[in-house]
Amino acid sequence: VRLKNLSKEGPGSLDWQTKKKFPITMAALMTASDLGATTKPWNIQRKIAGMVAEEFWYQGDLEKAELSTPLVPMMDRELRHELPRLQVGFCEGVCLPVYRALTCLSPALQPMEDAVVFNRDRWAELAENNQEEDEGNENKVTRNL
């Protein structure tokens, strides 16, 4: 909310000397850095998403075996065919709000926002194709990552 409010003020509001604005801007830049893989070229972004998904699925396998607890979808290996849909949601719900706000503060960051939109659209295409394809292939989403 604070970042969104700051971004509404536009590029002129970015002041590194203002104690109220500095931590908000720094936190947003750190978050953007953490989310940076979503701004990479598609072939790289897709590979990184696959590697992160494998880490989540491994953690989910451990939790399932050791704790017998229900898993959130992104950590459930049995739902790996939903990775594209989950990535669309991640781009829309987490990444784009950050990059849109930062672009409002610094228009020079527009290419990063554009890259997330491009990658989100590629994930959406995969999600649409996965719904139409035969679900018989266990690992069709990650086999080519």
Side-chain angles (χ1 to χ4, degrees), residues 99-116:
Y99 288 110
R100 285 184 176 135
L102 287 173
T103 298
C104 288
L105 294 173
S106 177
L109 298 175
Q110 183 68 51
M112 297 181 85
E113 179 184 338
D114 293 344
V116 176

Side-chain angles (χ1 to χ4, degrees), residues 48-91:
I48 292 170
M51 291 187 292
V52 171
E54 284 293 340
E55 287 182 37
F56 286 169
W57 295 331
Y58 177 74
Q59 179 66 34
D61 294 344
L62 291 175
E63 289 181 17
K64 197 177 205 179
E66 300 293 323
L67 303 175
S68 300
T69 60
L71 300 174
V72 295
M74 72 180 184
M75 297 185 85
D76 190 343
R77 187 178 300 275
E78 294 176 20
L79 299 177
R80 65 182 160 264
H81 61 280
E82 292 189 26
L83 178 62
R85 183 186 61 77
L86 294 170
Q87 284 298 114
V88 169
F90 179 67
C91 288

Side-chain angles (χ1 to χ4, degrees), residues 2-27:
R2 293 183 303 167
L3 177 61
K4 190 174 184 177
N5 290 338
L6 179 61
S7 71
K8 288 178 183 177
E9 296 177 26
S13 69
L14 195 56
D15 179 5
W16 294 104
Q17 305 306 315
T18 304
K19 289 185 180 187
K20 182 180 176 185
K21 295 177 181 180
F22 178 79
I24 298 168
T25 306
M26 285 300 295

